[in-house]
Amino acid sequence: MTSSKNLQGLIAALAPYWGGEAEIIGTYFRSETRDRKSDLLWISRQCWKEFYDGFDDDHPGLFVGPLKKMLGLADKIDIDVDRHEVLDMAEGLYEEFSHYCAFADAYDAIRTEADPAISPVMLRDVKSWPENDHLAEVRRRHRQDHGTLGLRAGHLTEGGYCGLFSEGMKLSGGSDADAAIARACSLVYEDEFGHMLKGILGLDNEGLPSGAWELLTELGLEQMHARLDMRNAQFGSPVPDARMKALHHGQGQSIAFDFAKADSAA
Ligand SMILES: [Fe+2]
Ligand SMILES: [Fe+2]
């Protein structure tokens, strides 16, 4: 993938924050306070995200949202809307639901009789958490104020360069929990890398007007700041305030963007 100076600049700006997100998750996995209960909590929150994440009433979650939309389009396919657009929606629904299944399988592998069984209905009790709601609100505002560019920024930061999935894939402590989490994370990793690429591929060919790159960087960074807090809270705040402050100042270890992988996924 050849990339312009603008695109390289955008990636360089985001890279320390992608690293920061991965650091938060790695810190949790290595922490001594990690146990079955804390694993079940973050996994159920991840399941919540995979099933219910949305940014407004028009986007009521990654399962119900696309289903509703596709139902409404049934009579419009090949008249008002391209069939491939609908196929893309169906593919997105399949992928996000398979992520819910992957993490729910990990939950089931870890839970004991004493822990509640997982289901989308049970997840309504788990609920979102304030930092996740804040991220959704930032994304909603960016879409509302900046249209396509705001949506682009959302794709660009989706999964935070797969920080959770790449850290989870590395787990090799030999426990059943580690194996179950590593399995779920490797299943989800490839899809989520693709979702993030949607935000990047083609940016150079769009002839973005002057100022758009700066704005995209600004929106992406605001979303990454919100992501850092969302992840730290999801995992029970494994990273102390002082280090979180440093991560917010861009002092995470930059992740090198994998251009070769981007090429093969394009
Ligand atoms: Fe997902
Ligand atoms: Fe996704």
Side-chain angles (χ1 to χ4, degrees):
M1 182 175 144
T2 53
S3 55
S4 68
K5 280 236 157 359
N6 283 326
L7 183 56
Q8 287 170 22
L10 174 66
I11 289 172
L14 295 175
Y17 296 91
W18 290 333
E21 185 168 334
E23 179 180 321
I24 291 167
I25 291 146
T27 305
Y28 167 77
F29 283 138
R30 289 186 299 274
S31 74
E32 297 198 340
T33 51
R34 180 186 163 209
D35 60 13
R36 188 185 91 253
K37 287 267 180 220
S38 65
D39 271 352
L40 291 180
L41 178 62
W42 80 256
I43 293 171
S44 55
R45 283 175 165 170
Q46 188 61 30
C47 285
W48 194 96
K49 282 179 74 64
E50 303 291 357
F51 197 88
Y52 287 114
D53 246 4
F55 20 81
D56 55 31
D57 290 345
D58 291 338
H59 301 87
L62 296 173
F63 185 80
V64 174
L67 271 180
K68 265 191 170 168
K69 200 166 175 188
M70 281 190 283
L71 271 176
L73 290 175
D75 289 344
K76 298 179 180 159
I77 295 172
D78 287 339
I79 299 167
D80 295 323
V81 59
D82 189 289
R83 69 186 84 113
H84 297 102
E85 233 178 272
V86 180
L87 187 61
D88 276 352
M89 284 177 214
E91 191 186 11
L93 171 67
Y94 173 85
E95 288 181 353
E96 296 300 351
F97 187 58
S98 73
H99 303 169
Y100 164 79
C101 292
F103 282 105
D105 287 348
Y107 182 100
D108 279 341
I110 294 169
R111 86 178 177 98
T112 64
E113 291 286 301
D115 303 306
I118 196 163
S119 70
V121 171
M122 166 275 203
L123 288 175
R124 288 189 198 136
D125 294 331
V126 169
K127 291 196 177 73
S128 182
W129 55 106
E131 293 81 358
N132 193 48
D133 291 341
H134 175 66
L135 171 63
E137 170 53 27
V138 169
R139 285 180 163 155
R140 190 202 59 74
R141 173 165 44 81
H142 287 173
R143 270 173 51 90
Q144 183 186 295
D145 294 351
H146 306 289
T148 315
L149 214 57
L151 194 64
R152 277 278 195 192
H155 285 309
L156 198 59
T157 63
E158 190 178 337
Y161 202 79
C162 295
L164 164 58
F165 315 114
S166 54
E167 288 301 309
M169 279 162 71
K170 289 187 219 155
L171 280 179
S172 57
S175 66
D176 288 351
D178 278 9
I181 292 166
R183 198 164 46 241
C185 286
S186 23
L187 282 171
V188 174
Y189 177 82
E190 292 298 327
D191 285 349
E192 287 300 356
F193 195 85
H195 293 180
M196 177 205 55
L197 278 183
K198 269 192 194 167
I200 293 181
L201 294 176
L203 274 179
D204 273 341
N205 302 326
E206 286 196 7
L208 294 176
S210 75
W213 287 98
E214 287 81 359
L215 180 58
L216 199 54
T217 306
E218 195 184 300
L219 302 182
L221 285 176
E222 189 181 353
Q223 293 187 18
M224 282 311 301
H225 281 290
R227 286 192 65 86
L228 291 176
D229 293 333
M230 176 278 288
R231 283 298 192 210
N232 203 39
Q234 180 182 1
F235 285 80
S237 304
V239 173
D241 287 350
R243 182 61 189 159
M244 282 301 289
K245 219 171 182 185
L247 295 182
H248 276 293
H249 279 105
Q251 290 168 23
Q253 194 176 0
S254 288
I255 288 187
F257 186 81
D258 190 340
F259 283 98
K261 188 167 170 57
D263 265 340
S264 60

